[in-house]
Amino acid sequence: MDMRTEMLRQLRERRDGFSLQQPFYIDPDFFQLDLELIWYRDWLFVGHDCELEKPGSYFTVQVGDHPVVIVRGRDGVIRALHNTCRHRGSRVCTAHKGTAAKLVCPYHQWTYDLDGSLVFAREMNEDFCKEDFGMKPVACESVAGYIFICLADEPADFAPFRTMMEPYFAPHNLLNAKIAHETTIIEKGNWKLVWENNRECYHCAANHPELCKTFPEAPGATGVPSVESDPEMVAHWQHCEAAGLPAWFHLDDAGQYRATRAPLLRDAVSYTMTGKRAVARNLSDSVSADRIGTLMLYHYPTTWNHVLIDHATTFRVLPISPTETALTTKWLVHKDAVEGVDYTVDELTHVWSMTNDEDRRIVEENAFGIKSPAYQPGPYSPIHEGGVMQFVDWYADFIGKRLEEEESAKQRKAA
């Protein structure tokens, strides 16, 4: 069976407002198409500028079959490179993160400069040309302290996202933040289930006692439809805008990314068990307004974010297999905030560490049930699951158009 044709058929037959058919969540061939048509072709959030403090600082990520290293060059420029040696293909950087004067392959010590150019290859032929064997580049963009990469040969235009995102995030000065803590958990469920769970708070009251102390369960906080009809949300936007902080809900035309600010419950200012600050020092010296709530950014397929007055929490989704997803969470504070004086890691991370683990269990039970032969797509709540419907619509439209383009090209070639 042609899996491209089968996926396109199921997308065309899906019911609006219902979950996807079973293969989208468990089938290896459908997962491979997700990688090829989305993950290998679009912009992916990978980390933060502040993680690469000086020339030679690097971190690595794995996107499907692609190992990638992100490194700051001697010129200060952040670059992404395919993390595979041009000799015989070994990974060059094997650590999760580190600092190196040069990138040296551990297999035969081929040595690359920080821009990926080959500078040393031991005992090769006299006609060997080092300039022909540099590490292959990966498209890389940095905006307001966030680093994105794209594995495509011809990346999509990054400028529209930059134009939307930068005004919201620039005031928070994440370029001058630091990572106070980082965790990665493996959720035994398809990456789309991780996103579907994130895009609603229909489940929050029964599953997230810590988060519910500060984060509103109101559909407007996570959803899309009629968000501008929520008077509390509109009042919050007006308050933030008056303080010079862009706040109004913005969703791009394709539905892939959006940003907005949302109020926290009652007098809460941060995600803690008391609602009080987790960090004594503000995240940014230029943001001092009271009650700014949370700045939320979503960019499918890799990231959602919460930026508060005292810290930021960023989330990165990476697919591992049809039924495994890696979720990396990073807590950022002002670069001069002192652990044990301005904050404690336990208080800073408690709410989202607990919430992540609760969500992991939810996703895994969801995935377990979807494997059942009795599973069939069920209806979403239009009141509480508008955000889920928007994500599924984006996914179906995004991957469906690319499958249709391939189908049309095949038909033209056969004609």
Side-chain angles (χ1 to χ4, degrees):
M1 180 189 297
D2 181 348
M3 282 297 107
R4 280 171 155 76
T5 300
E6 177 60 16
M7 177 183 272
L8 186 55
R9 181 189 69 79
Q10 292 199 23
L11 288 171
R12 286 170 172 167
E13 294 179 357
R14 79 181 186 94
R15 295 178 65 180
D16 287 343
F18 277 66
S19 57
L20 296 166
Q21 292 282 356
Q22 187 183 61
F24 288 95
Y25 300 117
I26 66 172
D27 187 88
D29 292 323
F30 275 40
F31 175 73
Q32 186 61 35
L33 288 176
D34 280 357
L35 292 179
E36 293 176 12
L37 297 172
I38 295 178
W39 293 89
Y40 296 168
R41 290 178 58 172
D42 211 75
W43 289 101
L44 311 174
F45 166 68
V46 289
H48 296 282
D49 298 55
C50 67
E51 299 180 69
L52 305 175
E53 297 182 62
K54 57 186 178 181
S57 296
Y58 71 86
F59 62 83
T60 59
V61 294
Q62 184 76 30
V63 183
D65 293 330
H66 292 268
V68 179
V69 57
I70 297 89
V71 58
R72 188 181 291 276
R74 262 175 274 281
D75 55 3
V77 175
I78 295 174
R79 297 179 176 86
L81 305 164
H82 285 282
N83 189 15
T84 178
C85 184
R86 294 297 306 283
H87 177 211
R88 287 169 57 187
S90 174
R91 277 196 306 169
V92 176
C93 298
T94 58
H96 171 53
K97 60 178 61 179
T99 303
K102 288 184 170 56
L103 308 180
V104 182
C105 178
Y107 198 179
H108 300 97
Q109 288 72 57
W110 278 35
T111 302
Y112 302 88
D113 210 340
L114 300 178
D115 63 0
S117 58
L118 181 64
V119 295
F120 175 73
R122 181 166 50 89
E123 298 181 17
M124 300 300 290
N125 287 338
E126 290 183 2
D127 61 351
F128 178 75
C129 181
K130 294 195 299 291
E131 289 74 17
D132 294 338
F133 294 94
M135 295 172 72
K136 293 182 178 180
V138 175
C140 183
E141 294 281 354
S142 173
V143 53
Y146 284 69
I147 303 169
F148 285 77
I149 65 170
C150 182
L151 294 161
D153 292 334
E154 297 182 8
D157 187 5
F158 190 76
F161 174 68
R162 178 188 296 278
T163 299
M164 184 283 292
M165 183 265 203
E166 197 161 25
Y168 285 87
F169 281 78
H172 297 282
N173 199 20
L174 293 179
L175 287 167
N176 287 310
K178 68 177 180 181
I179 307 296
H181 191 65
E182 174 182 344
T183 64
T184 296
I185 61 174
I186 306 301
E187 302 190 22
K188 295 179 181 178
N190 186 271
W191 68 274
K192 294 186 290 296
L193 290 181
V194 174
W195 266 110
E196 288 185 35
N197 178 65
N198 169 266
R199 295 309 311 115
E200 49 90 358
C201 217
Y202 195 25
H203 70 280
C204 288
N207 294 278
H208 296 317
E210 300 85 7
L211 184 63
C212 285
K213 290 183 179 296
T214 54
F215 187 73
E217 297 174 66
T222 55
V224 175
S226 304
V227 67
E228 294 186 3
S229 66
D230 183 337
E232 184 179 3
M233 190 73 77
V234 171
H236 183 71
W237 293 340
Q238 292 171 338
H239 166 72
C240 291
E241 292 274 348
L245 299 174
W248 290 85
F249 180 89
H250 182 106
L251 175 70
D252 87 297
D253 292 340
Q256 183 173 19
Y257 53 84
R258 75 178 189 271
T260 191
R261 295 184 191 269
L264 300 184
L265 292 177
R266 296 176 291 278
D267 295 326
V269 296
S270 190
Y271 291 128
T272 61
M273 295 299 288
T274 63
K276 296 179 180 179
R277 303 172 66 104
V279 186
R281 181 160 190 163
N282 282 357
L283 176 62
S284 170
D285 294 332
S286 61
V287 177
S288 58
D290 184 43
R291 302 293 300 280
I292 64 170
T294 177
L295 168 59
M296 298 186 291
L297 170 75
Y298 302 88
H299 189 294
Y300 305 145
T302 43
T303 188
W304 67 83
N305 303 261
H306 290 270
V307 181
L308 306 137
I309 188 67
D310 61 336
H311 73 279
T313 311
T314 69
F315 303 83
R316 185 187 71 199
V317 175
L318 288 176
I320 299 175
S321 76
T323 55
E324 292 177 299
T325 304
L327 176 68
T328 296
T329 307
K330 297 176 182 180
W331 288 263
L332 291 81
V333 300
H334 191 286
K335 66 177 181 179
D336 295 327
V338 179
E339 182 182 351
V341 176
D342 294 305
Y343 66 95
T344 66
V345 170
D346 285 347
E347 185 174 31
L348 176 68
T349 63
H350 179 77
V351 168
W352 278 112
S353 291
M354 296 297 292
T355 302
N356 283 347
D357 192 53
E358 292 152 3
D359 279 332
R360 176 191 59 79
R361 293 196 298 269
I362 291 167
V363 168
E364 291 178 357
E365 287 299 329
N366 195 183
F368 197 86
I370 284 175
K371 291 179 183 178
S372 168
Y375 167 79
Q376 62 185 52
Y380 296 121
S381 163
I383 298 172
H384 290 281
E385 295 175 300
V388 187
M389 294 164 67
Q390 189 274 331
F391 166 73
V392 174
D393 286 345
W394 167 81
Y395 167 80
D397 185 62
F398 197 81
I399 201 167
K401 283 182 178 178
R402 291 181 172 179
L403 287 168
E404 288 173 346
E405 288 169 1
E406 291 183 350
E407 183 182 68
S408 297
K410 187 184 299 183
Q411 291 172 349
R412 288 194 300 271
K413 187 174 181 181

